Amino acid sequence: MRYLTAGESHGPQQTTIIEGVPAHLELLQEDINKELLRRQGGYGRGRRMQIEKDQVEILSGVRHGKTTGAPITLVVKNDDYKHWTKIMGTEPLSEEEEKEVKRKITRPRPGHADLNGAIKYNHRDMRNVLERSSARETTARVCAGAVAKKLLKSLGIEVAGQVLEIGGVKAENTEYNGIKDLQERTESSPVRCLDEEAGKKMMDAIDQAKKEGDSIGGVVQAVVEGLPVGLGSYVHYDRKLDGKISGAVMSINAFKGVEIGIGFEAARKPGSKVHDEITWDEKEGYKRKTNNLGGFEGGMTNGMPVLVQGVMKPIPTLYKPLNSIDIDSKESFQASIERSDSCAVPAASVVMENVVAFEVAKAIVEAFGADRMDALKRNLEEQRQWEREF
Ligand code: EPS
């Protein structure tokens, strides 16, 4: 399975094309809309989310509620486009129109792709950079992830997520009773946090940042349960699934770090306190007593829940101005903006769940190679049986 995304933040639409999804997976627009709605929410989002009501259209690869095995095209319209039809048009502008609509962007915003992208592609109007580097693109990635989640669910594999930290406020109580509990409780928190007390403090921190024209980041976690042993492989560096997942997480807009299991904490503990002891019983087969390694040993899943954390930096679009340089005049100016999210960490948690889901689904389809869901289910069931009997 692989996918491509296309679309500008204020262009007509976000497009996702997914190739390699097995035939006969039940897939409805509603399955994808559910994830899109989750991504749009969360405390700290700005005015743009009041304009957009993300709804997917499935344009290929699905017939009468089931995938056909052909490439799946998913489209989400940008409702804001109606305000940008001239600025974002694809046809050349007349001189008159150019004067009227072409507000050239020559002032790079610190922390964004603006300046590097402008130098790289020779854009004197940095709108050509920012339109595509915008996190609006995560809409398209969530579309791909929603299909992956549906595939995983039909195989008994669940994905969930939680916010662990926002603006320095840490969730202390992150215990949950099974993945369903995690899903339900985070769904009812405006910051997708299990710890209600910490959640309130996170919202206060977001309010404070907003008041000060600032932005805050945080730490989010994705959890995957129900995986077989041995997804990914130790035999070659580019087959290690933890590496692929980490790469996918780092590719989410504004992410600056990724950890698996206890991650950086492993540097501060002796081996005897890090490695998870192995147990066995007849019913369940091999398990680990703890899950410090987050479900991975040797680049392969070990059957324990996969735990991945990602760090999102504060959104760089700030009301509080930061110094920068105009690329035409070379004069210093203070970057300021008209609208932004003060915190998109809860939304980023949904995005991370979805990019992780895609990598996992891709690994499953690769490992249990199948063109059809019935064969995929059978192959995976055989593997599960094999693990129990090994
Ligand atoms: C974004 C800036 C804001 C965000 C946007 C990402 O958009 P605008 O510039 O139109 O106000 O709302 O996020 C989304 C549109 C979205 O769907 O998440 C940016 O610069 O990255």
PDB file of all heavy atoms in Angstrom, residues 97-112:
ATOM      1  N   GLU A  97      -5.652  42.085 -13.644  1.00  0.00           N
ATOM      2  CA  GLU A  97      -5.989  41.169 -12.532  1.00  0.00           C
ATOM      3  C   GLU A  97      -4.813  41.029 -11.576  1.00  0.00           C
ATOM      4  O   GLU A  97      -4.974  40.961 -10.376  1.00  0.00           O
ATOM      5  CB  GLU A  97      -6.358  39.782 -13.089  1.00  0.00           C
ATOM      6  CG  GLU A  97      -7.716  39.718 -13.729  1.00  0.00           C
ATOM      7  CD  GLU A  97      -7.955  38.365 -14.395  1.00  0.00           C
ATOM      8  OE1 GLU A  97      -7.006  37.821 -15.023  1.00  0.00           O
ATOM      9  OE2 GLU A  97      -9.087  37.875 -14.308  1.00  0.00           O
ATOM     10  N   GLU A  98      -3.639  40.984 -12.168  1.00  0.00           N
ATOM     11  CA  GLU A  98      -2.451  40.806 -11.341  1.00  0.00           C
ATOM     12  C   GLU A  98      -2.325  41.927 -10.322  1.00  0.00           C
ATOM     13  O   GLU A  98      -2.074  41.683  -9.146  1.00  0.00           O
ATOM     14  CB  GLU A  98      -1.217  40.751 -12.234  1.00  0.00           C
ATOM     15  CG  GLU A  98      -0.028  40.255 -11.484  1.00  0.00           C
ATOM     16  CD  GLU A  98       0.924  39.445 -12.371  1.00  0.00           C
ATOM     17  OE1 GLU A  98       0.485  38.845 -13.370  1.00  0.00           O
ATOM     18  OE2 GLU A  98       2.097  39.444 -12.047  1.00  0.00           O
ATOM     19  N   LYS A  99      -2.567  43.139 -10.783  1.00  0.00           N
ATOM     20  CA  LYS A  99      -2.492  44.291  -9.866  1.00  0.00           C
ATOM     21  C   LYS A  99      -3.543  44.161  -8.777  1.00  0.00           C
ATOM     22  O   LYS A  99      -3.322  44.470  -7.616  1.00  0.00           O
ATOM     23  CB  LYS A  99      -2.718  45.589 -10.650  1.00  0.00           C
ATOM     24  CG  LYS A  99      -1.428  46.147 -11.207  1.00  0.00           C
ATOM     25  CD  LYS A  99      -1.655  47.516 -11.825  1.00  0.00           C
ATOM     26  CE  LYS A  99      -0.954  47.590 -13.179  1.00  0.00           C
ATOM     27  NZ  LYS A  99      -1.762  48.131 -14.253  1.00  0.00           N
ATOM     28  N   GLU A 100      -4.692  43.654  -9.229  1.00  0.00           N
ATOM     29  CA  GLU A 100      -5.827  43.584  -8.312  1.00  0.00           C
ATOM     30  C   GLU A 100      -5.642  42.514  -7.222  1.00  0.00           C
ATOM     31  O   GLU A 100      -5.878  42.761  -6.053  1.00  0.00           O
ATOM     32  CB  GLU A 100      -7.076  43.259  -9.156  1.00  0.00           C
ATOM     33  CG  GLU A 100      -8.396  43.375  -8.441  1.00  0.00           C
ATOM     34  CD  GLU A 100      -9.511  42.729  -9.283  1.00  0.00           C
ATOM     35  OE1 GLU A 100      -9.390  42.719 -10.541  1.00  0.00           O
ATOM     36  OE2 GLU A 100     -10.448  42.219  -8.674  1.00  0.00           O
ATOM     37  N   VAL A 101      -5.200  41.330  -7.645  1.00  0.00           N
ATOM     38  CA  VAL A 101      -5.221  40.216  -6.680  1.00  0.00           C
ATOM     39  C   VAL A 101      -3.867  39.762  -6.168  1.00  0.00           C
ATOM     40  O   VAL A 101      -3.794  39.076  -5.158  1.00  0.00           O
ATOM     41  CB  VAL A 101      -5.944  38.966  -7.238  1.00  0.00           C
ATOM     42  CG1 VAL A 101      -7.348  39.282  -7.667  1.00  0.00           C
ATOM     43  CG2 VAL A 101      -5.159  38.314  -8.361  1.00  0.00           C
ATOM     44  N   LYS A 102      -2.804  40.099  -6.883  1.00  0.00           N
ATOM     45  CA  LYS A 102      -1.571  39.433  -6.525  1.00  0.00           C
ATOM     46  C   LYS A 102      -0.833  40.106  -5.375  1.00  0.00           C
ATOM     47  O   LYS A 102      -0.002  40.979  -5.556  1.00  0.00           O
ATOM     48  CB  LYS A 102      -0.664  39.272  -7.737  1.00  0.00           C
ATOM     49  CG  LYS A 102       0.225  38.075  -7.521  1.00  0.00           C
ATOM     50  CD  LYS A 102       0.537  37.336  -8.773  1.00  0.00           C
ATOM     51  CE  LYS A 102       1.298  36.085  -8.432  1.00  0.00           C
ATOM     52  NZ  LYS A 102       2.468  35.874  -9.219  1.00  0.00           N
ATOM     53  N   ARG A 103      -1.215  39.670  -4.172  1.00  0.00           N
ATOM     54  CA  ARG A 103      -0.488  40.163  -3.004  1.00  0.00           C
ATOM     55  C   ARG A 103       0.702  39.243  -2.830  1.00  0.00           C
ATOM     56  O   ARG A 103       0.555  38.122  -2.345  1.00  0.00           O
ATOM     57  CB  ARG A 103      -1.389  40.112  -1.777  1.00  0.00           C
ATOM     58  CG  ARG A 103      -2.423  41.200  -1.760  1.00  0.00           C
ATOM     59  CD  ARG A 103      -3.299  41.065  -0.538  1.00  0.00           C
ATOM     60  NE  ARG A 103      -4.318  40.022  -0.731  1.00  0.00           N
ATOM     61  CZ  ARG A 103      -4.903  39.338   0.253  1.00  0.00           C
ATOM     62  NH1 ARG A 103      -4.559  39.554   1.493  1.00  0.00           N
ATOM     63  NH2 ARG A 103      -5.835  38.438   0.000  1.00  0.00           N
ATOM     64  N   LYS A 104       1.850  39.708  -3.290  1.00  0.00           N
ATOM     65  CA  LYS A 104       3.034  38.845  -3.211  1.00  0.00           C
ATOM     66  C   LYS A 104       3.490  38.696  -1.763  1.00  0.00           C
ATOM     67  O   LYS A 104       3.509  39.670  -1.015  1.00  0.00           O
ATOM     68  CB  LYS A 104       4.160  39.471  -4.028  1.00  0.00           C
ATOM     69  CG  LYS A 104       4.591  38.598  -5.183  1.00  0.00           C
ATOM     70  CD  LYS A 104       5.530  39.285  -6.105  1.00  0.00           C
ATOM     71  CE  LYS A 104       6.901  39.495  -5.518  1.00  0.00           C
ATOM     72  NZ  LYS A 104       7.893  39.945  -6.485  1.00  0.00           N
ATOM     73  N   ILE A 105       3.847  37.501  -1.387  1.00  0.00           N
ATOM     74  CA  ILE A 105       4.364  37.304  -0.032  1.00  0.00           C
ATOM     75  C   ILE A 105       5.885  37.262  -0.090  1.00  0.00           C
ATOM     76  O   ILE A 105       6.471  36.368  -0.710  1.00  0.00           O
ATOM     77  CB  ILE A 105       3.793  36.016   0.593  1.00  0.00           C
ATOM     78  CG1 ILE A 105       2.271  36.182   0.738  1.00  0.00           C
ATOM     79  CG2 ILE A 105       4.435  35.717   1.940  1.00  0.00           C
ATOM     80  CD1 ILE A 105       1.573  35.028   1.388  1.00  0.00           C
ATOM     81  N   THR A 106       6.498  38.256   0.513  1.00  0.00           N
ATOM     82  CA  THR A 106       7.967  38.371   0.457  1.00  0.00           C
ATOM     83  C   THR A 106       8.576  38.324   1.850  1.00  0.00           C
ATOM     84  O   THR A 106       9.763  38.527   2.004  1.00  0.00           O
ATOM     85  CB  THR A 106       8.368  39.705  -0.217  1.00  0.00           C
ATOM     86  OG1 THR A 106       7.782  40.783   0.546  1.00  0.00           O
ATOM     87  CG2 THR A 106       7.894  39.768  -1.658  1.00  0.00           C
ATOM     88  N   ARG A 107       7.693  38.082   2.832  1.00  0.00           N
ATOM     89  CA  ARG A 107       8.178  38.129   4.207  1.00  0.00           C
ATOM     90  C   ARG A 107       8.092  36.756   4.869  1.00  0.00           C
ATOM     91  O   ARG A 107       7.025  36.347   5.303  1.00  0.00           O
ATOM     92  CB  ARG A 107       7.353  39.149   4.991  1.00  0.00           C
ATOM     93  CG  ARG A 107       7.476  40.524   4.399  1.00  0.00           C
ATOM     94  CD  ARG A 107       6.570  41.489   5.104  1.00  0.00           C
ATOM     95  NE  ARG A 107       7.164  42.807   5.093  1.00  0.00           N
ATOM     96  CZ  ARG A 107       6.832  43.776   5.925  1.00  0.00           C
ATOM     97  NH1 ARG A 107       5.902  43.582   6.842  1.00  0.00           N
ATOM     98  NH2 ARG A 107       7.421  44.950   5.853  1.00  0.00           N
ATOM     99  N   PRO A 108       9.213  36.055   4.929  1.00  0.00           N
ATOM    100  CA  PRO A 108       9.187  34.695   5.488  1.00  0.00           C
ATOM    101  C   PRO A 108       8.905  34.696   6.991  1.00  0.00           C
ATOM    102  O   PRO A 108       9.454  35.515   7.730  1.00  0.00           O
ATOM    103  CB  PRO A 108      10.587  34.160   5.214  1.00  0.00           C
ATOM    104  CG  PRO A 108      11.443  35.371   5.071  1.00  0.00           C
ATOM    105  CD  PRO A 108      10.574  36.463   4.504  1.00  0.00           C
ATOM    106  N   ARG A 109       8.057  33.766   7.421  1.00  0.00           N
ATOM    107  CA  ARG A 109       7.720  33.655   8.842  1.00  0.00           C
ATOM    108  C   ARG A 109       8.698  32.687   9.520  1.00  0.00           C
ATOM    109  O   ARG A 109       8.856  31.556   9.053  1.00  0.00           O
ATOM    110  CB  ARG A 109       6.279  33.150   8.987  1.00  0.00           C
ATOM    111  CG  ARG A 109       5.253  34.040   8.321  1.00  0.00           C
ATOM    112  CD  ARG A 109       3.971  33.291   8.016  1.00  0.00           C
ATOM    113  NE  ARG A 109       4.216  32.126   7.164  1.00  0.00           N
ATOM    114  CZ  ARG A 109       3.351  31.150   6.947  1.00  0.00           C
ATOM    115  NH1 ARG A 109       2.164  31.178   7.519  1.00  0.00           N
ATOM    116  NH2 ARG A 109       3.640  30.143   6.155  1.00  0.00           N
ATOM    117  N   PRO A 110       9.342  33.131  10.597  1.00  0.00           N
ATOM    118  CA  PRO A 110      10.276  32.226  11.282  1.00  0.00           C
ATOM    119  C   PRO A 110       9.583  30.923  11.697  1.00  0.00           C
ATOM    120  O   PRO A 110       8.450  30.955  12.187  1.00  0.00           O
ATOM    121  CB  PRO A 110      10.694  33.023  12.532  1.00  0.00           C
ATOM    122  CG  PRO A 110      10.460  34.453  12.174  1.00  0.00           C
ATOM    123  CD  PRO A 110       9.271  34.455  11.248  1.00  0.00           C
ATOM    124  N   GLY A 111      10.268  29.827  11.474  1.00  0.00           N
ATOM    125  CA  GLY A 111       9.726  28.520  11.893  1.00  0.00           C
ATOM    126  C   GLY A 111       8.917  27.833  10.814  1.00  0.00           C
ATOM    127  O   GLY A 111       8.551  26.670  10.958  1.00  0.00           O
ATOM    128  N   HIS A 112       8.607  28.543   9.729  1.00  0.00           N
ATOM    129  CA  HIS A 112       7.852  27.939   8.622  1.00  0.00           C
ATOM    130  C   HIS A 112       8.800  27.500   7.508  1.00  0.00           C
ATOM    131  O   HIS A 112       9.985  27.817   7.519  1.00  0.00           O
ATOM    132  CB  HIS A 112       6.881  28.969   8.027  1.00  0.00           C
ATOM    133  CG  HIS A 112       5.630  29.130   8.812  1.00  0.00           C
ATOM    134  ND1 HIS A 112       4.490  28.425   8.556  1.00  0.00           N
ATOM    135  CD2 HIS A 112       5.347  29.928   9.862  1.00  0.00           C
ATOM    136  CE1 HIS A 112       3.542  28.771   9.394  1.00  0.00           C
ATOM    137  NE2 HIS A 112       4.035  29.686  10.209  1.00  0.00           N
TER     138      HIS A 112
END
